[in-house]
């Protein structure tokens, strides 16, 4: 009975994570309530694998029909954005607008809630798409692209529960506050899954580089969030995912370039 309940809980968490992170119709039978997303935080890297799978599949198909790496990489990126519902891109844009355009804590949070995009947000999105596209175009080879996309989307999302566990919400309402604080075990499992994805994708020594890059990104963003708005929000979490995704894809491109030179 215990093992059955444990398995059912794992399946429910997986469905909750996929439903929260993507537009795929795999949500749990019961509506998600406060605390469910936090508890299921450990499964966010698994949801990231599905997003990476969509991008890898589109890249492989586009390559097979003869498209060059440039447009093929853009189609793969478009697939990941479509499957994820662009929620992290939206968070990045809102974070850039809020932190860059507001003078006070209250004004920064107000800007983040505004659905309109400003100059800082537009620049952040252009930078995000350009860096990710250029990394994929550099990698080019479909199998390497698949590995990079799997690892980038899994590892970037693995840091989200850790970030939520360490940094309190900046306000009492909103997406992050409603999700709740993940249990320490959930954050630890998510971190472990992200680290494992880096090991499987790049090897143990290079995986350490990925962990360091994601940790530095998290520390810098945490410092900005705490000093400017007093904590994290759903938008800031989205920005963290985007920064992590960019870092891992650039790392994959750099590692491939180094191997080719050797």
């Amino acid at each position: 009975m215990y093992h059955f309940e444990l398995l059912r809980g794992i399946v429910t968490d997986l469905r909750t994570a996929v439903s929260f992170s993507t537009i795929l119709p795999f949500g749990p039978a019961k509506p998600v309530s406060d605390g469910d997303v936090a508890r299921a935080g450990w499964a966010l890297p698994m949801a990231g694998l599905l997003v990476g799978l969509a991008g890898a599949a589109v890249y492989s198909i586009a390559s097979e029909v003869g498209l060059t790496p440039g447009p093929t990489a853009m189609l793969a990126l478009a697939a990941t954005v479509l499957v994820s519902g662009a929620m992290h891109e939206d968070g990045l844009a809102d974070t850039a607008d809020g932190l860059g355009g507001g003078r006070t804590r209250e004004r920064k949070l107000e800007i983040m809630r505004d659905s309109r995009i400003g100059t800082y947000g537009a620049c952040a999105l252009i930078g995000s798409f350009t860096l990710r596209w250029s990394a994929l175009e550099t990698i080019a080879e479909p199998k390497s692209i698949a590995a990079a996309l799997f690892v980038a989307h899994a590892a970037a999302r693995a840091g989200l529960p850790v970030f939520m566990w360490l940094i309190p919400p900046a306000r009492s309402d909103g997406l992050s506050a409603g999700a709740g604080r993940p249990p320490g075990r959930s954050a630890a499992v998510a971190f472990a899954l992200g680290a494992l994805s880096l090991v499987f994708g790049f090897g143990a020594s290079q995986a350490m580089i990925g962990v360091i890059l994601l940790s530095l990104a998290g520390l810098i963003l945490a410092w900005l969030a705490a000093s400017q708005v007093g904590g994290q929000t759903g938008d800031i979490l989205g920005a963290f995912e985007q920064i992590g995704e960019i870092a891992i894809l650039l790392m994959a491109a750099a590692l491939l370039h180094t191997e080719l030179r050797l």
Side-chain angles (χ1 to χ4, degrees):
M1 185 66 180
Y2 169 76
H3 296 293
F4 175 75
E5 289 296 327
L6 178 62
L7 179 60
R8 186 167 66 175
I10 291 173
V11 172
T12 299
D13 285 351
L14 286 169
R15 294 178 68 184
T16 298
V18 171
S19 176
F20 178 75
S21 302
T22 74
I23 62 170
L24 300 175
F26 296 144
K30 295 189 299 183
V32 175
S33 58
D34 289 353
D36 288 346
V37 174
R39 189 193 66 248
W42 68 268
L44 289 177
M46 309 300 289
L49 290 177
L50 291 179
V51 179
L53 175 62
V58 168
Y59 192 95
S60 178
I61 294 170
S63 296
E64 286 295 324
V65 300
L67 289 182
T68 58
T72 304
M74 184 54 71
L75 288 172
L77 273 180
T80 63
V81 173
L82 177 63
V83 171
S84 66
M87 65 181 300
H88 300 304
E89 283 79 7
D90 179 70
L92 174 67
D94 287 342
T95 297
D97 279 333
L99 299 186
R103 291 184 177 273
T104 66
R105 173 183 181 275
E106 291 71 22
R107 180 57 180 155
K108 291 176 188 292
L109 290 173
E110 181 184 350
I111 291 174
M112 286 186 193
R113 276 194 159 157
D114 193 333
S115 60
R116 294 171 295 181
I117 188 170
T119 303
Y120 286 105
C123 290
L125 285 178
I126 292 171
S128 173
F129 275 99
T130 301
L131 288 171
R132 288 183 289 166
W133 171 80
S134 60
L136 293 177
E137 187 192 32
T138 299
I139 298 169
E141 202 277 319
K143 289 184 179 179
S144 298
I145 287 285
L149 286 172
F150 286 145
V151 175
H153 284 278
R157 285 166 175 79
L160 296 178
V162 179
F163 199 94
M164 294 171 69
W165 186 73
L166 291 173
I167 310 298
R171 49 193 172 210
S172 58
D173 59 346
L175 178 63
S176 178
R181 187 189 188 205
R185 180 181 298 180
S186 181
V189 172
F191 180 86
L193 290 175
L196 283 175
S197 71
L198 287 164
V199 171
F200 283 120
F202 304 130
S205 58
Q206 286 82 7
M208 286 301 300
I209 300 173
V211 171
I212 291 171
L213 287 174
L214 290 173
S215 298
L216 285 175
L219 287 172
I220 293 171
L221 190 58
W223 174 73
L224 286 172
S227 61
Q228 295 202 31
V229 295
Q232 46 90 0
T233 67
D235 288 326
I236 290 173
L237 293 174
F240 174 75
E241 190 282 336
Q242 285 284 280
I243 294 170
E245 191 181 323
I246 291 167
I248 299 303
L249 288 177
L250 290 177
M251 172 185 160
L255 289 174
L256 179 64
H257 183 65
T258 301
E259 289 176 0
L260 291 175
R261 286 193 303 172
L262 294 177

